[in-house]
Amino acid sequence: MIKTFSFKRQIWKRLCKNWGAMFGLVLISIAILISVFGYWIAPDATPNADMQTVEIQAKSPGYSQLFLKIPDKKIVSVGWFANLIGGRESDFKYLPITKYRLQGDSIQVNKLVDEDTSTLQSFSINLFKSEAGQKGAANYIVTKKYYLGTDKFGRDILSRLIIGTKVSVAVGLIAVLISLTIGILFGAIAGYYRGWADEVIMWLVNTTWSIPTLLLVFAFTMALGKGFWQIFIAVGLTMWVSVARLIRGQIMALKQLEYIQAAKALGLSDGRIIIKHMLPNILGPLLVIAASNFATAIIIEAGLSFLGIGVQPPQPSWGLMIKENYNFIITHQPMLALVPGFAIMLLVLAFNLLGNGLRDAVDVRSEY
């Protein structure tokens, strides 16, 4: 136990010396925290960050707008956990306005229609007093700032970017778990037992690998249907082949070593030899390919969402955000599509940097 703890501490020390890996680890940690607590930190905490205000569509980053908050009595309250997982409907309806004034027992506002047009509307002051005691309607005049602008439906880009992190992290995690489970199982059987089992599994691996990845994902998606969970399974079922080939080759090499032969002579079961004595010794390459598959899963999900067969609206996804706003690249608001693209690039880079750092840290032959 002491040796195991010492080895883990040594791995951590080596990893800390790799600035690229630590940079990737920090970015991944931030992405995980954002994906978990996204609805608590997003400016728009409604389900899927789908509060639409079409009057302010496609606005530049840093845009500010004046709103009248109208109390909505139909909203049903939800618990903190439900709010953490799926957000909650707003207690107010937000009416975009250009100016307002109090007149007698009413508040008159100029409702924004477009950049040059507004219409006059009047609301009873009692509507607001009943909701806030003696507070007047002026307390329901707020200014909202859209730090990354708004999309073509008038939704907050920053909020949808934050909530969309949940999809990218989740698809990577589940796809990697599926690919590792299938790949380790098949690769270990093929490499350890060889013979007909190896031939059958390698035929399946080569057949699967001969089909273009995107085409294979299309097939699984069409079979399973479009949706949030279907895309996870489809991506995971296409990435196990690289894991299986890696595990097979590593197991075949380790099988010839003396300590494995000694374990067989002692009568240890095949399962114990593979799990306890072989897999820990190929942890480095396994971590590298897991990180690579995580990054690949994020890119595939973004590509599928961009093509319209991945995550479906109104659920936010970085690929879907690019699809909804890519036409602005050649017009007047390129950042609406470039921001989610930068997010994909940074997260993929983070996993690649961390994977390379883990490979070097686990490799006992490396020196720092």
Side-chain angles (χ1 to χ4, degrees):
M1 182 66 68
I2 296 178
K3 290 182 179 180
T4 301
F5 177 75
S6 178
F7 180 64
K8 291 181 179 179
R9 186 168 58 181
Q10 187 179 15
I11 291 176
W12 175 248
K13 287 183 178 180
R14 289 179 174 180
L15 188 65
C16 289
K17 293 179 181 179
N18 190 320
W19 292 105
M22 295 307 297
F23 175 72
L25 182 60
V26 169
L27 286 181
I28 293 169
S29 300
I30 293 174
I32 292 174
L33 289 175
I34 290 176
S35 66
V36 174
F37 300 103
Y39 280 110
W40 287 3
I41 62 179
D44 179 7
T46 58
N48 298 320
D50 193 36
M51 184 180 291
Q52 301 184 14
T53 310
V54 294
E55 293 87 352
I56 56 171
Q57 59 181 332
K59 296 299 182 180
S60 304
Y63 174 79
S64 297
Q65 176 60 47
L66 198 64
F67 286 92
L68 173 65
K69 293 167 55 178
I70 304 175
D72 190 348
K73 299 181 180 180
K74 299 179 181 180
I75 301 302
V76 179
S77 61
V78 297
W80 69 269
F81 184 74
N83 185 17
L84 179 68
I85 299 300
R88 64 186 297 272
E89 295 291 346
S90 175
D91 295 328
F92 304 93
K93 294 179 180 179
Y94 287 82
L95 185 72
I97 61 176
T98 57
K99 59 182 179 179
Y100 71 98
R101 62 182 177 275
L102 297 174
Q103 187 171 0
D105 60 349
S106 65
I107 178 173
Q108 294 183 350
V109 299
N110 290 80
K111 178 184 177 298
L112 177 70
V113 177
D114 56 37
E115 294 182 355
D116 303 318
T117 308
S118 63
T119 59
L120 184 64
Q121 293 188 5
S122 180
F123 298 89
S124 173
I125 228 126
N126 294 326
L127 172 65
F128 304 95
K129 287 184 177 179
S130 62
E131 292 293 328
Q134 299 302 316
K135 293 182 179 180
N139 292 280
Y140 285 84
I141 302 295
V142 297
T143 300
K144 296 176 66 175
K145 188 171 184 178
Y146 298 89
Y147 293 95
L148 295 180
T150 62
D151 64 9
K152 66 179 182 180
F153 298 106
R155 298 174 296 194
D156 184 19
I157 290 288
L158 176 60
S159 298
R160 289 184 64 79
L161 190 73
I162 291 173
I163 305 304
T165 308
K166 187 189 300 288
V167 174
S168 294
V169 172
V171 72
L173 178 62
I174 296 176
V176 166
L177 289 177
I178 294 175
S179 65
L180 288 182
T181 301
I182 300 176
I184 291 174
L185 177 62
F186 284 0
I189 292 175
Y192 189 83
Y193 292 106
R194 303 300 303 276
W196 66 268
D198 184 29
E199 293 180 0
V200 171
I201 291 175
M202 290 311 299
W203 174 85
L204 181 60
V205 167
N206 292 329
T207 302
T208 305
W209 217 334
S210 65
I211 305 174
T213 302
L214 199 57
L215 185 61
L216 194 59
V217 174
F218 283 167
F220 281 120
T221 304
M222 294 304 178
L224 299 173
K226 302 178 182 179
F228 185 70
W229 294 103
Q230 291 88 332
I231 194 64
F232 295 169
I233 299 174
V235 174
L237 291 177
T238 59
M239 297 193 303
W240 66 270
V241 289
S242 57
V243 179
R245 287 181 67 94
L246 172 69
I247 296 298
R248 173 181 176 270
Q250 295 291 326
I251 292 291
M252 288 173 59
L254 292 176
K255 187 179 177 181
Q256 308 301 323
L257 299 181
E258 293 181 356
Y259 80 97
I260 299 297
Q261 300 299 325
K264 290 182 178 180
L266 289 174
L268 299 182
S269 64
D270 294 339
R272 182 175 180 180
I273 292 174
I274 294 173
I275 295 174
K276 295 289 186 179
H277 300 285
M278 288 186 165
L279 291 182
N281 285 285
I282 58 176
L283 184 60
L286 193 59
L287 289 174
V288 174
I289 199 167
S292 176
N293 282 353
F294 210 116
T296 302
I298 293 173
I299 295 175
I300 292 176
E301 182 278 324
L304 292 176
S305 296
F306 179 82
L307 294 174
I309 61 175
V311 174
Q312 298 299 299
Q315 187 168 13
S317 163
W318 292 346
L320 185 60
M321 291 174 65
I322 296 175
K323 175 189 177 182
E324 292 173 343
N325 300 299
Y326 77 94
N327 57 313
F328 293 112
I329 293 178
I330 58 175
T331 56
H332 59 295
Q333 301 294 353
M335 291 303 296
L336 300 184
L338 294 180
V339 166
F342 288 144
I344 295 172
M345 180 191 70
L346 284 176
L347 194 54
V348 169
L349 176 63
F351 276 104
N352 287 330
L353 290 175
L354 180 60
N356 293 334
L358 286 172
R359 177 197 59 198
D360 296 336
V362 174
D363 187 0
V364 297
R365 294 171 295 181
S366 63
E367 295 182 0
Y368 285 82

